[in-house]
């Protein structure tokens, strides 16, 4: 069809209830066209007229100011090399409640005794209100948010299919509001609004420290229904003093600990008009800050997939174990609960012990095995509490089902205790729960184990994309900054994470300290007033997410507005680190060299840093050792890297002083690093694989020494028996650095290494997600640490960018111009990758037939590609599909010079 397609607003397909007053529109060009020369937008009362421009992504609305609740229909037509297009099929967006004055609803808190409020875990509360509707309904919008996690009901029907709403944010600064179309659920006469509200992240346990009440002591609900009548008048009703609350069947609910349900206690029909209201109490009306209410640019959390068990076993007479065959984030739905009064206990874990039973040993650290744990800011009684255990007591009614929706678990296995019968695969369903991100990337090749590795990385990300990017879905579920900056380029190939990352970055900035220090977690639920904190914030490689993540999102999606929005956060962090470098010195360095060298004002060697984190054989918890160590090599490298990126970002924003400031800082920190850590003979003072990888990846090594440093990296790899020796921070760069410095063969050897430590060791030992430690399951079958940490899975970016060859170019964001440069090796004979870029589908597929290399390329409309064949030849590719032929290596091409290659 000759019309633009895939109309979107602010990175989302359905922009309902948005708070962006000047939303941006995107479209894809008609199939078969090559380039856009002009566009015309019509949005509500605004007509842009013909605009001479090739821009088709994130074009801002420039019409009249929009009001709360206003619905805007929009369309676009374009002029391309093929001429004038038809108008696109109309799309729409709808504004949310933009100002506090738009709210007539009041915050309400449940009736809750002090003794209950003082508990660690709490029951979920039920809320109920009613109103009468006499008029016909033209449109009805429900706006809801909460302190806690809510489910909402209208006349007994659950509203929408979202989970874990309103989501996890920096609640003190940002609280998301969801908007629902509820017109089909309303009826003439009396209508009942109801909600279930549990602790969630607001009051429940958060992070690996299992802090409680991070944001408040009391739950609260805010809900408003706006009903538009056919005559154009608006009626508003919402939570207020006439609402009631009670408790029901959810006896306890906690995201970390689990959910306890007694179905016998469920008030029958509590959210319907004919409910018996015994035991209900009036709510308390309170005033909470409405200025922090916001819309989320991220897709919501949903139940996205269901898995059937692959096995049901009985390792002991009193228990059964369900194996779903896949490590995941979510819960199970159980349809066989037993007779009335039967209580089932469901323990969720990632691994089995030697007897075939579920083990949680890897999730609850033993104080005797953790160096320096006495200094950690946690209560060991909290750490030893129950973890990932649900309990349900049956009421014995027909069709009874247990499905917890106020907790999540990271697991492959479920131990079921208390069931009187033998369970079958028909009785239990695994429910995969995560942010409903749009899949954009794929990869497959001729090696089955590499394909399984890629799939494990995908599932690991899925398990950790639960409203925020988490480190693991089990013991911590926290938004560790270092993990996301490591993986975000990989994630942006596999999924559309533009809005997901934007939401997260706003929380990072909201929790950033006045001096620019970036917390380890975003949102940060760890108390900021801890005394003698052994892990104070501001760690290099973690806090640098403030710069790296916005840059990577810009590269992948072309979002300049995000760079502008995050600029204060980015610069505050880099200025903090630069000031620390200038004003402080590590005591060991000061003792050895009392008079600092001129370069030391740019050498950052103080503060707490996690370091490379989990190199092979390293224990993750020894924080006292880390706190005392000199991390100047790593910290200065990251200061240089972030300053260098800031210089590039400033250029994108047209900030000339910023370009000068941060280009200078990048130059000075590079000089300082070389003065301190590069010896006169060209060797590095820190003789580890990670240090060499970082030096090469961040451009710290002079050009004339790159070959020497890369050669030493290869020596270190060979000395380790051709095994990697990197941890979290350097691993994503390892294979690309080897490939880019002339050691592609070594990169493939590491990729295909199948003895510990290696990626394929995980696969050969049954991993379906990426492990936190290289020896997550050892040769004896003993598990350690998390078995679902995506950071080391960033290796699959090498598959996308080097094996298949699809590469972003810094000066052409969003794949406006990109490179396809496959680098075959490792015995692979075929490889194929696809990526749905903002402009459309990119595809690279190649196969080897002896020495002959054939590459099929797809380039979307509005873009161009440069194609580099393995034999060294280069071609330009216009939109459409094309096939290129050549030889497998430059050496073969030289030997057959003059032979036709295409």
């Amino acid at each position: 069809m000759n019309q633009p397609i895939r109309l979107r607003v602010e990175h989302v397909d359905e922009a309902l209830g948005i708070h962006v007053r000047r939303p941006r529109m995107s479209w894809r060009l008609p199939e078969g066209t090559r380039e856009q020369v002009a566009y015309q937008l019509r949005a509500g009362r605004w007509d842009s007229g013909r605009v001479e421009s090739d821009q088709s992504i994130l074009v801002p609305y420039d019409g009249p100011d929009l009001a709360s609740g206003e619905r805007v229909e929009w369309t676009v037509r374009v002029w391309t090399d093929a001429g004038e297009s038809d108008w696109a099929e109309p799309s729409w967006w709808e504004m949310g409640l933009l100002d506090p004055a738009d709210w007539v609803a009041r915050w309400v808190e449940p009736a809750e005794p002090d003794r209950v409020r003082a508990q660690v875990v709490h029951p979920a509360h039920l809320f109920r209100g009613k109103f009468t509707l006499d008029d016909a309904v033209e449109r009805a919008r429900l706006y809801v948010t909460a302190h806690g996690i809510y489910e909402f009901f209208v006349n007994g029907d659950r509203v929408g299919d979202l989970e874990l709403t309103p989501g996890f944010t920096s609640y003190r600064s940002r609280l998301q509001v969801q908007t629902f179309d509820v017109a089909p659920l309303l009826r003439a006469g009396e209508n009942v609004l109801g909600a279930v509200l549990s602790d969630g992240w607001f009051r429940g346990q958060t992070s690996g420290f299992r802090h409680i009440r991070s944001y408040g002591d009391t739950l609260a609900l805010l809900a408003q229904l706006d009903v538009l009548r056919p005559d154009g008048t608006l009626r508003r009703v919402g939570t207020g003093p006439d609402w009631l609350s009670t408790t029901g069947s959810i006896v306890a609910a906690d995201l970390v600990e689990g959910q306890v349900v007694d179905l016998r206690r469920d008030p029958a029909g509590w959210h319907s008009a004919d409910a018996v209201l015994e035991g209900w109490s009036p709510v308390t009306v309170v005033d909470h800050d409405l200025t922090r209410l916001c819309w989320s640019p991220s897709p919501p959390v949903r139940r996205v997939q269901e898995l059937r068990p692959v096995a049901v076993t009985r390792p002991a007479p009193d228990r059964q174990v369900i194996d779903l065959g896949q490590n995941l984030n979510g819960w199970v739905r159980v349809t066989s609960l037993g007779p009335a009064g039967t209580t089932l206990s469901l323990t969720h874990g990632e691994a089995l012990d030697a007897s075939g039973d579920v083990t949680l040993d890897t999730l609850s650290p033993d104080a005797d095995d953790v160096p320096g744990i006495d200094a950690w800011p946690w209560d060991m009684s909290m750490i030893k509490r129950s973890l990932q255990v649900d309990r349900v007591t049956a009421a014995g009614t027909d069709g009874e089902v247990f499905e917890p929706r106020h907790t999540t678990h990271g697991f492959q296995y479920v131990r079921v205790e208390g069931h009187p019968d033998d369970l079958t695969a028909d009785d239990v369903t695994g429910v995969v729960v995560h942010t409903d991100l749009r899949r954009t990337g794929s990869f497959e090749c001729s090696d089955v184990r590499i394909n399984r590795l890629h799939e494990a990385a995908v599932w690991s990300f899925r398990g950790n994309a639960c409203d925020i990017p988490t480190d693991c879905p089990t013991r911590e579920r926290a938004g560790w900054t270092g993990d996301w900056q490591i993986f975000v380029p990989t994630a942006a190939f596999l999924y559309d994470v533009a809005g997901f990352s934007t939401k997260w970055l706003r929380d990072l900035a909201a929790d950033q300290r006045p001096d620019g220090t970036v917390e380890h977690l975003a949102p940060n639920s760890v108390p900021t007033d801890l005394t003698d904190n052994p892990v104070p914030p501001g760690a290099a490689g973690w806090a640098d997410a403030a710069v790296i993540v916005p840059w990577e999102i810009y590269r992948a999606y072309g979002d300049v507005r995000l760079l502008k929005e995050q600029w204060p956060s980015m610069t505050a962090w880099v200025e903090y680190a630069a000031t620390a470098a200038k004003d402080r010195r590590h005591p060991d360095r000061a003792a050895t060299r009392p008079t600092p060298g001129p370069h030391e004002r740019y050498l950052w060697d103080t503060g707490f840093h996690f370091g490379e984190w989990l190199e092979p054989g390293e224990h993750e918890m020894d924080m006292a050792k880390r706190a005392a160590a000199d991390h100047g090599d790593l910290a200065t490298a990251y200061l240089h890297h972030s300053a260098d990126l800031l210089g590039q970002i400033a250029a994108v924003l047209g900030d000339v002083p910023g370009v000068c400031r941060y280009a200078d800082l990048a130059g000075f920190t590079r000089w300082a690093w070389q003065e301190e850590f590069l010896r006169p003979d060209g060797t590095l003072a820190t003789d580890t694989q990670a240090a060499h990888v970082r030096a090469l990846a961040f451009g710290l090594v002079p050009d004339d020494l790159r070959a020497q440093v890369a050669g030493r990296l290869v020596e270190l790899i060979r000395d380790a028996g051709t095994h990697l020796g990197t941890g979290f921070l350097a691993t994503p760069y390892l294979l690309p650095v080897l490939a880019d410095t002339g050691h592609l063969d070594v990169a493939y050897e590491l990729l295909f290494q199948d003895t510990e430590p290696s990626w394929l060791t995980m696969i050969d030992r049954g991993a379906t997600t990426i492990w936190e430690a290289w020896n997550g399951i050892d040769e004896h079958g003993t598990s350690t640490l998390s078995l679902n940490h995506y950071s080391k899975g960033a290796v699959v970016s090498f598959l996308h960018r080097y094996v298949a060859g699809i590469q972003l170019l810094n000066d052409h964001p969003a794949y406006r111009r990109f490179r396809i440069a496959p680098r075959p090796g490792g015995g692979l004979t075929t490889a194929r990758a696809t990526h749905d870029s903002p402009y459309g589908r990119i595809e690279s597929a190649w196969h080897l037939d002896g020495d002959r290399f054939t590459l099929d390329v797809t380039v979307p409309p509005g873009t161009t590609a440069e194609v580099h064949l393995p034999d060294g030849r280069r071609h330009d590719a216009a939109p459409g599909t094309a096939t290129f032929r050549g030889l497998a290596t430059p050496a073969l091409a030289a030997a057959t010079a003059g032979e036709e290659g295409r």
Side-chain angles (χ1 to χ4, degrees):
M1 295 185 293
N2 182 31
Q3 61 183 182
I5 58 175
R6 193 162 178 73
L7 276 58
R8 306 182 84 213
V9 173
E10 288 296 325
H11 300 300
V12 298
D13 294 318
E14 293 188 357
L16 179 62
I18 69 174
H19 287 189
V20 182
R21 296 176 185 264
R22 295 285 166 179
R24 297 167 297 173
M25 296 161 279
S26 302
W27 58 89
R28 291 184 182 176
L29 302 186
E31 292 295 330
T33 61
R34 293 197 169 195
E35 59 180 340
Q36 174 185 297
V37 296
Y39 67 80
Q40 183 178 3
L41 283 166
R42 288 178 177 170
R45 296 167 287 162
W46 175 60
D47 189 326
S48 71
R50 176 173 168 141
V51 178
E52 304 297 321
S53 172
D54 61 359
Q55 186 178 359
S56 60
I57 63 170
L58 300 174
V59 178
Y61 167 79
D62 196 27
D65 290 343
L66 301 171
S68 291
E70 184 172 350
R71 187 179 179 89
V72 179
E73 290 199 357
W74 73 281
T75 184
V76 62
R77 65 175 173 179
V78 296
W79 287 263
T80 70
D81 57 287
E84 180 182 333
S85 77
D86 298 329
W87 287 97
E89 290 293 324
S91 186
W92 57 271
W93 76 79
E94 186 174 304
M95 307 303 290
L97 301 182
L98 302 178
D99 299 301
D102 295 319
W103 288 89
V104 300
R106 302 287 304 279
W107 281 99
V108 294
E109 295 180 347
E112 187 176 54
D114 290 342
R115 60 177 177 77
V116 175
R117 190 173 299 176
Q119 297 171 182
V120 173
V121 295
H122 308 88
H125 292 273
L126 308 181
F127 290 81
R128 173 188 163 95
K130 62 182 180 179
F131 69 100
T132 301
L133 191 63
D134 297 326
D135 303 319
V137 175
E138 178 75 15
R139 192 172 75 198
R141 297 291 183 262
L142 177 69
Y143 305 97
V144 192
T145 189
H147 291 168
I149 287 174
Y150 74 83
E151 295 178 80
F152 212 90
F153 299 84
V154 174
N155 295 319
D157 292 321
R158 189 171 188 259
V159 174
D161 61 353
L162 281 55
E163 305 293 345
L164 307 180
T165 47
F168 189 16
T169 55
S170 176
Y171 293 119
R172 300 178 189 91
S173 305
R174 303 179 62 255
L175 181 62
Q176 295 173 158
V177 176
Q178 282 75 42
T179 304
F180 303 95
D181 177 3
V182 295
L185 303 181
L186 298 176
R187 61 194 180 204
E190 187 173 84
N191 290 263
V192 176
L193 305 179
V196 182
L197 184 61
S198 66
D199 288 355
W201 296 280
F202 188 86
R203 187 171 69 168
Q205 298 173 59
T206 59
S207 82
F209 306 114
R210 299 181 74 166
H211 291 294
I212 56 175
R213 303 182 183 91
S214 294
Y215 299 99
D217 295 327
T218 308
L219 303 183
L221 177 70
L222 180 70
Q224 179 167 304
L225 178 64
D226 283 10
V227 178
L228 182 67
R229 303 181 178 97
D231 63 4
T233 59
L234 183 67
R235 183 182 178 194
R236 285 176 160 165
V237 298
T239 47
D242 57 332
W243 278 56
L244 303 173
S245 76
T246 189
T247 56
S249 61
I250 303 179
V251 178
D254 186 84
L255 286 171
V256 176
E257 199 154 315
Q259 185 166 328
V260 180
V261 174
D262 187 343
L263 294 172
R264 300 169 301 181
R265 301 180 58 176
D266 193 29
W270 65 270
H271 38 38
S272 62
D274 56 357
V276 178
L277 300 181
E278 293 182 3
W280 290 74
S281 302
V283 298
T284 301
V285 176
V286 294
D287 290 320
H288 291 302
D289 183 12
L290 297 177
T291 64
R292 65 201 162 110
L293 300 184
C294 62
W295 166 75
S296 174
S298 174
V301 174
R302 287 191 173 98
R303 292 170 284 180
V304 296
Q305 188 177 348
E306 295 186 351
L307 297 180
R308 180 180 172 85
V310 298
V312 181
T313 59
R314 191 180 282 274
D318 63 342
R319 60 195 59 192
Q320 302 176 66
V321 171
I322 311 297
D323 180 0
L324 293 170
Q326 173 64 55
N327 202 358
L328 59 94
N329 180 70
W331 52 68
V332 292
R333 182 170 62 248
V334 184
T335 55
S336 172
L337 301 182
T342 301
T343 297
L344 306 182
S345 177
L346 290 79
T347 302
H348 303 73
E350 297 181 309
L352 302 179
D353 62 19
S355 71
D357 195 8
V358 174
T359 176
L360 297 182
D361 289 347
T362 63
L363 305 181
S364 299
D366 188 326
D368 294 334
D369 296 334
V370 181
I373 198 169
D374 292 339
W376 275 68
W378 56 21
D379 179 352
M380 284 307 298
S381 66
M382 290 296 300
I383 300 303
K384 293 301 181 183
R385 289 182 64 89
S386 173
L387 178 71
Q388 299 205 141
V389 179
D390 296 334
R391 294 181 176 85
V392 56
T393 300
T397 58
D398 291 339
E400 205 166 49
V401 175
F402 172 67
E403 181 175 355
R405 291 200 295 265
H406 291 256
T407 189
T408 60
H409 310 301
F411 67 103
Q412 177 175 336
Y413 307 97
V414 185
R415 177 202 301 144
V416 182
E417 298 170 274
H419 204 290
D421 303 318
D422 289 335
L423 292 169
T424 72
D426 294 328
D427 298 323
V428 182
T429 300
V431 182
V432 181
V433 179
H434 57 70
T435 299
D436 193 9
L437 300 167
R438 179 173 62 93
R439 183 73 184 264
T440 57
S442 68
F443 174 86
E444 59 183 350
C445 68
S446 56
D447 190 279
V448 173
R449 290 194 298 172
I450 297 300
N451 292 338
R452 288 170 56 199
L453 171 63
H454 188 271
E455 190 68 4
V458 170
W459 271 100
S460 211
F461 175 53
R462 292 179 64 184
N464 283 291
C466 192
D467 204 62
I468 64 168
T470 61
D471 61 328
C472 65
T474 50
R475 68 175 192 268
E476 296 188 53
R477 309 152 186 264
W480 284 94
T481 50
D483 297 58
W484 190 230
Q485 73 88 355
I486 289 164
F487 198 78
V488 68
T490 309
F493 186 92
L494 295 169
Y495 286 90
D496 182 349
V497 296
F500 180 72
S501 297
T502 298
K503 167 191 175 293
W504 182 80
L505 284 166
R506 289 171 178 166
D507 290 312
L508 181 150
D511 285 334
Q512 195 167 358
R513 298 191 179 188
D515 65 357
T517 306
V518 174
E519 303 286 350
H520 300 317
L521 312 178
N524 179 49
S525 59
V526 178
T528 57
D529 59 351
L530 291 172
T531 58
D532 299 322
N533 186 354
V535 287
W542 271 253
D544 291 280
V547 178
I548 295 170
V549 175
W551 172 247
E552 292 296 339
I553 297 303
Y554 165 74
R555 292 181 72 232
Y557 305 103
D559 195 339
V560 178
R561 185 183 288 181
L562 178 64
L563 293 181
K564 185 175 182 180
E565 178 184 327
Q566 294 298 126
W567 179 256
S569 169
M570 292 187 275
T571 54
W573 162 245
V574 171
E575 293 297 343
Y576 164 84
T579 299
K582 177 172 65 73
D583 293 345
R584 299 194 288 270
R585 300 181 73 204
H586 192 277
D588 291 350
R589 182 169 284 102
T592 303
R593 194 165 61 222
T595 302
H599 66 283
E600 288 193 53
R601 62 178 290 129
Y602 301 103
L603 186 70
W604 186 22
D605 60 358
T606 57
F608 174 84
H609 304 285
F610 291 104
E612 178 61 14
W613 194 252
L614 284 184
E615 292 168 289
E618 179 188 53
H619 197 298
E620 66 162 353
M621 295 292 189
D622 196 346
M623 296 303 166
K625 180 179 178 181
R626 292 179 191 279
D630 179 355
H631 292 285
D633 183 339
L634 182 146
T636 307
Y638 268 98
L639 176 55
H640 162 77
H641 184 52
S642 286
D644 182 55
L645 292 182
L646 276 187
Q648 298 179 60
I649 292 168
V652 172
L653 298 178
D655 182 349
V656 175
V659 172
C660 297
R661 160 64 181 157
Y662 294 109
D664 284 349
L665 181 58
F668 282 124
T669 51
R670 185 173 185 262
W671 165 61
W673 186 91
Q674 291 177 354
E675 286 290 306
E676 193 72 21
F677 304 111
L678 183 63
R679 296 189 179 110
D681 62 357
T683 60
L684 303 190
T686 308
D687 196 28
T688 65
Q689 289 186 30
H692 286 74
V693 168
R694 201 159 19 251
L696 293 164
F698 291 175
L700 291 163
V701 178
D703 290 346
D704 61 343
L705 291 177
R706 285 183 65 82
Q708 177 182 334
V709 173
R712 177 57 184 160
L713 172 60
V714 172
E715 289 178 1
L716 291 168
I717 292 169
R718 297 300 190 198
D719 290 345
T722 312
H723 289 92
L724 51 78
T726 52
F728 271 36
L729 293 180
T731 294
Y733 300 103
L734 175 59
L735 302 191
V737 158
L738 289 167
D740 290 342
T741 55
H743 301 285
L744 181 66
D745 56 336
V746 182
Y748 272 107
E749 287 182 63
L750 288 179
L751 177 65
F752 280 91
Q753 177 62 262
D754 58 6
T755 58
E756 186 182 319
S758 70
W759 292 281
L760 289 187
T761 296
M762 302 184 195
I763 300 306
D764 290 344
R765 293 178 183 170
T768 60
T769 48
I770 302 299
W771 301 339
E772 181 179 14
W774 291 111
N775 62 339
I777 296 179
D778 67 18
E779 66 272 21
H780 306 295
T782 302
S783 56
T784 181
L785 299 181
S786 164
L787 300 184
N788 193 351
H789 253 70
Y790 53 56
S791 60
K792 292 182 171 72
V795 66
V796 302
S797 184
F798 179 80
L799 306 179
H800 308 149
R801 296 187 292 127
Y802 288 82
V803 179
I806 300 176
Q807 299 177 8
L808 263 169
L809 302 175
N810 284 350
D811 51 353
H812 296 281
Y815 296 89
R816 187 62 180 271
R817 180 172 178 82
F818 57 94
R819 179 180 297 131
I820 294 184
R823 307 279 297 275
L828 295 177
T829 56
T830 65
R832 176 180 178 270
T834 65
H835 177 66
D836 284 327
S837 77
Y839 294 97
R841 173 65 65 93
I842 297 169
E843 183 169 348
S844 171
W846 59 261
H847 68 269
L848 279 172
D849 183 5
D851 295 332
R852 295 287 175 173
F853 179 86
T854 302
L855 172 66
D856 296 317
V857 170
T858 299
V859 179
T863 71
T864 58
E866 50 186 69
V867 178
H868 298 253
L869 298 180
D871 60 14
R873 281 176 282 191
R874 181 189 181 282
H875 306 274
D876 288 327
T881 59
T883 299
F884 301 89
R885 296 184 177 88
L887 295 168
T889 65
L892 285 168
T896 57
E899 194 174 311
E900 184 62 33
R902 178 176 177 181

